[in-house]
Amino acid sequence: MQRLKFPDGLTAEQFLTDYWQQKPLLFRQALPDFRCHLEPDELAGLACEDDVESRLVLEKHGSTPWEARHGPFDDETFSKLPESHWTLLVQDVDKHLPEVARLTEYFRFLPDWRFDDVMVSYAADQGSVGPHIDDYDVFLFQAKGRRRWKIHYQRVTEDDYIPGLDLRILPEFKAEEEWLLEPGDMLYLPPNVAHWGVAEGECLSCSIGFQAPAFREMATAWCEELVQKRIATGRIRDKPLKPQSASAEIKPQALEQIRELLDELLAQDSDHQRRWFGRFITESKLNLQVEEQDQPLDPDIFHNRFREVAVIHRNPCTRLAFSRGDQGNDSLFANGKEYPLPSDEGDFLPVITHYQALHYGYLEAWLEQPDYLQLVCDLYNDGHFEFPDD
């Protein structure tokens, strides 16, 4: 596993205790073994593809002081850009370019389910996306060129942004700290710290982002789960009634009955919540769906082919996680789908969820057992793993 070079002898455990979601931290030459060979033209090419999410942010060159344009773009768009004050941002570059995906290996001390994507930005001189805050944790790695980052710690609300823009730009920004990042440097920023990065000359930056699902988003998804899968059809039935002198009054007894019914409907065991959360947190974006195999294999044929080919590779768009159950079943989750497996305290689930390439020799003993073979075969048929010659 690749490791970050923490400053001043800091350990990953100390970072998580003292900095994670609390305060910024500057890393000088954070990834000594990593070199980003991505060129601006290659990034622009990605931004021209239909299934890639991209934006152009222009300062002082649009119809408003800050203007965002959304891709896909074309060559003519890039040929007409000014010499300065613009930025191209491309999401999920790790799903499209293996060399950028390598960046994620440095952050495996954090839970995989929290990881979102690697966004890569190319900025012309003085390019920026303006002073703003993010709702998630981010590591800002300087791949090429130089960028100056400024931050302040003042509280920011939704009313503080410039109105009428499709970007959340702060109208006032008084820097309390600032750093100039050189190639190889990195800045960690916790959620809700206002920051402003400005390119000094051309530069390329990688933002390794970690998702933080919103409370309302989770609550909505959980309620939908209950309505669709756990709450039976039917209607309330009254307990024995007595005549009311005021017919419009909602009696305390009726309210107590409703409360008991709702408590019963909403009460679910922890194992159901465990399985729901695994599906919820591994759901993939609409433009990053995986496709099932055109010709699915049965376990025996899959086993023979795996033995022959010797390796399978994870689909770059696959999100994997697992959790241990307390009712005789563990669960592996892939892009919102659950794959149950009899409980086993061994290393099978950690292994197949950790590595991008799985070698037959390492899994051979497990594949002799029907449950494990069926699971890996199902993952292959559903498009989450691929043979090199597929």
Side-chain angles (χ1 to χ4, degrees):
M1 181 174 69
Q2 302 288 353
R3 297 186 183 276
L4 290 181
K5 181 182 176 183
F6 286 95
D8 302 323
L10 201 69
T11 65
E13 183 176 358
Q14 291 170 327
F15 168 78
L16 293 174
T17 300
D18 298 333
Y19 291 90
W20 180 250
Q21 299 197 327
Q22 299 172 61
K23 55 186 178 182
L25 180 64
L26 176 66
F27 297 70
R28 292 295 186 191
Q29 300 304 301
L31 315 178
D33 301 323
F34 179 80
R35 295 292 180 271
C36 182
H37 300 291
L38 177 63
E39 295 296 332
D41 287 347
E42 189 175 5
L43 188 68
L46 277 178
C48 294
E49 297 183 10
D50 291 338
D51 60 346
V52 175
E53 183 182 350
S54 59
R55 290 176 295 158
L56 270 170
V57 177
L58 296 95
E59 180 187 5
K60 303 178 180 179
H61 296 295
S63 56
T64 60
W66 295 90
E67 180 184 344
R69 303 175 186 174
H70 296 270
F73 302 104
D74 55 31
D75 293 340
E76 184 179 2
T77 299
F78 293 114
S79 68
K80 293 182 177 179
L81 288 172
E83 294 184 359
S84 66
H85 291 86
W86 62 268
T87 301
L88 171 66
L89 305 103
V90 182
Q91 301 287 153
D92 294 291
V93 178
D94 55 299
K95 315 301 191 300
H96 304 284
L97 299 178
E99 69 169 284
V100 175
R102 285 186 53 229
L103 263 177
T104 64
E105 294 300 317
Y106 290 89
F107 301 91
R108 300 301 288 274
F109 65 94
L110 295 163
D112 282 354
W113 64 263
R114 287 278 275 111
F115 173 71
D116 186 11
D117 78 329
V118 179
M119 180 188 73
V120 179
S121 64
Y122 167 78
D125 183 37
Q126 300 303 304
S128 170
V129 297
H132 65 287
I133 64 168
D134 294 317
D135 297 323
Y136 48 81
D137 301 89
V138 63
F139 294 84
L140 302 164
F141 175 70
Q142 194 62 30
K144 297 181 179 181
R146 306 194 303 175
R147 186 185 293 271
R148 185 173 298 277
W149 286 100
K150 302 178 182 180
I151 65 170
H152 78 59
Y153 297 98
Q154 301 169 38
R155 184 173 178 270
V156 175
T157 69
E158 290 296 328
D159 296 330
D160 294 328
Y161 299 110
I162 299 175
L165 302 180
D166 55 0
L167 295 165
R168 298 197 304 174
I169 303 293
L170 297 170
E172 297 182 4
F173 187 93
K174 185 176 181 180
E176 297 179 46
E177 292 187 79
E178 68 175 74
W179 305 273
L180 179 63
L181 268 62
E182 304 276 356
D185 295 340
M186 184 171 72
L187 177 64
Y188 163 71
L189 290 176
N192 302 320
V193 172
H195 52 284
W196 189 359
V198 180
E200 297 193 356
E202 296 178 289
C203 77
L204 196 75
S205 305
C206 301
S207 300
I208 302 95
F210 288 80
Q211 63 178 334
F215 293 138
R216 290 183 178 182
E217 178 187 358
M218 285 198 300
T220 298
W222 174 240
C223 289
E224 289 177 351
E225 166 85 4
L226 295 181
V227 170
Q228 293 176 8
K229 299 183 179 179
R230 306 290 289 195
I231 296 180
T233 58
R235 296 178 182 273
I236 65 170
R237 293 292 183 264
D238 294 317
K239 292 182 177 180
L241 296 177
K242 294 181 180 180
Q244 290 188 199
S245 57
S247 61
E249 180 182 2
I250 302 174
K251 290 284 191 177
Q253 296 91 327
L255 292 173
E256 177 65 17
Q257 180 185 2
I258 297 301
R259 184 189 66 78
E260 291 175 355
L261 283 170
L262 289 176
D263 286 347
E264 181 180 348
L265 292 173
L266 295 176
Q268 301 296 330
D269 62 84
S270 59
D271 197 64
H272 178 216
Q273 292 174 341
R274 171 189 71 83
R275 296 169 59 204
W276 161 78
F277 184 74
R279 296 191 301 270
F280 167 77
I281 205 62
T282 58
E283 288 181 348
S284 59
K285 301 173 184 177
L286 291 177
N287 64 317
L288 297 173
Q289 301 295 312
V290 303
E291 296 184 1
E292 297 179 358
Q293 296 292 338
D294 293 333
Q295 297 180 331
L297 304 180
D298 68 35
D300 289 337
I301 295 177
F302 169 79
H303 192 183
N304 290 334
R305 188 171 181 204
F306 193 4
R307 182 189 295 113
E308 177 184 347
V309 177
V311 65
I312 54 175
H313 297 276
R314 187 193 301 186
N315 188 313
C317 294
T318 290
R319 294 180 58 85
L320 293 181
F322 73 90
S323 63
R324 305 291 191 183
D326 56 6
Q327 299 181 9
N329 284 291
D330 295 336
S331 301
L332 182 140
F333 307 98
N335 291 31
K337 182 177 178 179
E338 178 187 5
Y339 297 80
L341 191 70
S343 292
D344 182 355
E345 293 301 322
D347 291 334
F348 178 75
L349 287 174
V351 166
I352 67 168
T353 55
H354 184 83
Y355 296 101
Q356 298 297 317
L358 297 174
H359 294 271
Y360 178 82
Y362 196 84
L363 296 182
E364 184 175 6
W366 280 306
L367 295 174
E368 296 297 330
Q369 303 177 53
D371 289 329
Y372 295 118
L373 174 60
Q374 184 68 59
L375 175 61
V376 181
C377 182
D378 288 342
L379 290 170
Y380 169 80
N381 287 333
D382 289 344
H384 298 298
F385 284 96
E386 305 163 325
F387 291 114
D389 54 356
D390 279 343

